[in-house]
Amino acid sequence: MEATGIDVRSPVDDRLLASVDNADAATVARIVANLRAAQPEWEALGVAERSRWLHLYRDWLLDHADDLARLLQEETGKAWPESRAEPAYPVHVINYYTKHAARFLAAESPRPASILVANKRQERLLRPYPVVGVISPWNFPLALAMMDALPALIAGAAVAIKPSELTPLATRAAVAGWREIGAPDIFACVTGAGETGAALVDEVDFVQFTGSERTGRRIAERAGARLIPCGLELGGKDAMIVLADADIERAARGAVFGALYNAGQTCVSVERVYVVAEVYDRFVDAVVAEVGRLRHGAVTPDYGIDVGAMTVAQQAEIVAEHVADARERGARVLIGGSRRGEHYYEPTVLVDVDHSMTCMRAETFGPLLPIMKANDVDEAIRLANDSPYGLSASIWTRDRALARRQAQRLEVGAVNVNDVIVNLLALPLPHGGWKASGLGARNGGPYGIRKYCRSQAVLSDRFPLPLTPHWFPYKRGNAERFARFMRTAGTRDVRRRWRAITGR
Ligand code: NAD
């Protein structure tokens, strides 16, 4: 592999923004070796000192939030409020984990569960994987990379991020901030394409991947071959279920936001809606009216656009294919339905859709909102579960008890009631996909940081005991006594067992 550069272009006007390294395998190996060498000292600093660095880094992120937002907008074509919101996310991640890290990472001393180790002091320590590789996609370049990298750093690991080759600039700039504050050299950004990501998988001790199912499977195979753990956050086909007693206006606005936020390029986008027959017409009318109010087009750093560009032209092509397939099979477009240039597809509402259509089965990842009528809640749940994916879903009803019951019938990692996407902000809860949507989870309170650690058991004597009758050399008397002791210690009915063993 040769180390040639990668040109990063704006999806808005195709302007060349920058050229970044396309790191080859040798470069990746060198970077990881440096991180590995520096990591023990980082771990030895302890949680409090590591948190102090993270707090300094949080301040740097806040001081540079607007610069990062501008870079994000340039490389992704996101609407300005979406670009502005992203740098704030890592700040919350830092605050949450640094506040709880001492407790989440504390050693535990469980009581002995067997008389055989009654004299042992037992400790479970959490020791970080030395180097964690974070491989991230282009849709939320900064937030997704950081939400995985930061808890790993706080856990005491060194981290190398490989951002998407399509959107590496904001992440590269943010990681440079770590060096600017003078923090230990345990955080790196390795730019490059898929092969660079593959080279990273070959070097690190834990891979945290966010991206497509296809790449996720390849990473899992490679991680399996290397016997290293991996976490996979993959694609989705999130369903929204609207029941008869829902607040229809709110549900319609929620559907539109959920489907079109970030131009539909969100893993937890609303990708399909099932509405019970009683309220179907009202819901559809309200959705079309809401979509009609949106401003779509080339973004600028202000608030004039609601739905921006599609970061990847190929993704706009996928949307066009899904719409064409649905139309051929009898679906109707109520609003939108056209590609407007290489990186733009109009916000589009489809009705008369069914599960024979690609738009109801495959991830669209674009500004498309297909709505299907369901006879009742049972049919809606069945249709929602009829998917290879299981990332998240939402259910809309005024009856909270009903929502809770139905949530437990959904085969997904998260359910929002009367809301969309917001589960991503709930750091104490896990964010992870079921079925083909992933492996493991991010966040989830202690789990979000402990996942980057290996458990280590340490045992030591409470009181010095000279007796070690089970050690060499084996002697009949000792061995017999020890065997009896072992069996008797394992029983609840000691007397009967003792008689059975000894015949006395
Ligand atoms: P992608 O799989 O094409 O690329 C993701 C990253 O993997 C990039 O950095 C890429 O360079 C790298 N990569 C490619 N081939 C590789 C290989 N063989 N080995 C190692 N790394 C490799 O995904 P994408 O198109 O950038 O992202 C869009 C996808 O991400 C969608 O499916 C979306 O649903 C998913 N996503 C999931 C979540 C989640 O949390 N579940 C969040 C955001 C996006």
Side-chain angles (χ1 to χ4, degrees):
M1 229 194 310
E2 256 180 45
T4 51
I6 294 179
D7 286 348
V8 183
R9 293 187 173 275
S10 155
V12 177
D13 54 14
D14 202 38
R15 196 161 35 97
L16 179 66
L17 300 172
S19 199
V20 298
D21 286 346
N22 188 13
D24 62 13
T27 308
V28 172
R30 183 173 43 75
I31 290 170
V32 172
N34 289 342
L35 293 174
R36 196 178 289 291
Q39 183 273 335
E41 223 172 292
W42 176 244
E43 182 186 350
L45 283 183
V47 176
E49 189 61 12
R50 291 199 297 271
S51 296
R52 194 184 65 79
W53 281 115
L54 266 298
H55 288 154
L56 289 174
Y57 188 50
R58 171 193 60 195
D59 297 344
W60 185 94
L61 287 169
L62 286 169
D63 290 343
H64 295 80
D66 281 342
D67 300 336
L68 294 171
R70 267 189 290 277
L71 275 177
L72 276 170
Q73 189 178 49
E74 283 182 334
E75 61 186 345
T76 63
K78 281 175 198 285
W80 183 236
E82 293 162 1
S83 306
R84 282 208 83 190
E86 218 178 305
Y89 193 78
V91 169
H92 290 279
V93 174
I94 291 175
N95 285 340
Y96 175 72
Y97 283 108
T98 53
K99 182 171 173 195
H100 299 289
R103 184 164 53 88
F104 291 169
L105 294 172
E108 286 177 5
S109 302
R111 289 164 62 88
S114 156
I115 194 167
L116 303 175
V117 282
N119 187 39
K120 294 291 179 190
R121 180 180 154 73
Q122 304 180 144
E123 272 192 296
R124 194 210 60 180
L125 308 182
L126 290 170
R127 304 281 317 285
Y129 287 98
V131 184
V132 171
V134 172
I135 300 178
S136 50
W138 47 261
N139 59 331
F140 292 93
L142 188 62
L144 286 168
M146 288 293 171
M147 72 202 281
D148 292 325
L150 294 168
L153 288 174
I154 299 169
V159 176
I161 296 178
K162 207 300 278 176
S164 167
E165 59 275 31
L166 299 161
T167 56
L169 302 182
T171 308
R172 186 180 66 162
V175 176
W178 182 261
R179 279 198 304 279
E180 267 180 48
I181 62 168
D185 221 353
I186 44 76
F187 193 17
C189 177
V190 192
T191 55
E195 282 179 54
T196 308
L200 190 63
V201 178
D202 279 346
E203 297 293 336
V204 296
D205 308 299
F206 184 110
V207 188
Q208 181 60 38
F209 171 77
T210 307
S212 64
E213 181 196 342
R214 198 169 129 261
T215 311
R217 287 183 188 276
R218 296 174 72 176
I219 286 180
E221 278 169 23
R222 189 63 200 142
R226 287 201 57 222
L227 271 188
I228 60 163
C230 64
L232 305 176
E233 299 290 342
L234 310 179
K237 191 71 193 167
D238 286 6
M240 168 172 179
I241 294 175
V242 184
L243 301 185
D245 70 338
D247 175 343
I248 296 301
E249 277 305 312
R250 181 177 160 80
R253 292 188 56 223
V256 172
F257 180 72
L260 302 179
Y261 176 66
N262 203 34
Q265 305 160 113
T266 306
C267 55
V268 288
S269 283
V270 171
E271 289 250 337
R272 51 201 171 112
V273 187
Y274 304 101
V275 190
V276 294
E278 296 100 299
V279 290
Y280 175 83
D281 289 338
R282 260 176 64 210
F283 177 83
V284 170
D285 289 348
V287 163
V288 173
E290 176 75 4
V291 172
R293 284 190 280 271
L294 298 178
R295 298 155 302 172
H296 171 229
V299 292
T300 46
D302 61 22
Y303 297 93
I305 288 292
D306 300 304
V307 180
M310 305 212 54
T311 306
V312 186
Q314 193 200 347
Q315 202 63 46
E317 187 54 39
I318 290 172
V319 183
E321 282 167 18
H322 286 197
V323 174
D325 169 80
R327 272 180 160 145
E328 266 170 37
R329 293 168 191 271
R332 278 185 302 135
V333 173
L334 295 188
I335 189 167
S338 298
R339 195 167 173 185
R340 296 257 173 248
E342 214 188 349
H343 286 269
Y344 295 92
Y345 199 95
E346 290 175 333
T348 298
V349 177
L350 282 178
V351 292
D352 299 342
V353 290
D354 62 42
H355 278 212
S356 72
M357 300 172 187
T358 313
C359 71
M360 298 299 277
R361 316 262 334 148
E363 185 181 49
T364 305
F365 219 57
L368 184 60
L369 184 53
I371 308 174
M372 184 169 171
K373 196 184 287 184
N375 287 324
D376 53 23
V377 61
D378 289 338
E379 189 184 35
I381 297 276
R382 182 181 60 72
L383 288 165
N385 285 338
D386 178 24
S387 170
Y389 295 107
L391 194 50
S392 70
S394 66
I395 182 153
W396 299 70
T397 167
R398 287 189 167 93
D399 183 340
R400 277 200 286 177
L402 175 73
R404 179 98 200 306
R405 281 200 306 279
Q406 300 305 333
Q408 289 180 71
R409 298 173 68 196
L410 287 165
E411 293 285 311
V412 294
V415 180
N416 287 302
V417 178
N418 298 328
D419 212 330
V420 287
I421 298 177
V422 72
N423 63 296
L424 262 174
L425 305 177
L427 302 182
L429 298 181
H431 173 251
W434 292 10
K435 302 198 272 186
S437 289
L439 204 59
R442 56 164 66 95
N443 299 327
Y447 175 81
I449 190 165
R450 288 181 186 161
K451 66 183 262 194
Y452 293 116
C453 297
R454 302 157 296 179
S455 291
Q456 188 175 46
V458 179
L459 295 95
S460 53
D461 281 343
R462 286 175 190 278
F463 311 104
L465 282 183
L467 293 176
T468 46
H470 58 296
W471 284 12
F472 296 135
Y474 294 146
K475 290 189 190 148
R476 175 173 293 281
N478 275 356
E480 275 301 311
R481 272 191 293 278
F482 185 68
R484 283 176 196 166
F485 170 70
M486 289 276 283
R487 290 185 202 174
T488 312
T491 186
R492 275 181 291 161
D493 183 359
V494 178
R495 277 196 201 154
R496 191 181 64 79
R497 181 70 54 184
W498 182 253
R499 276 201 302 275
I501 292 171
T502 61
R504 278 183 264 154

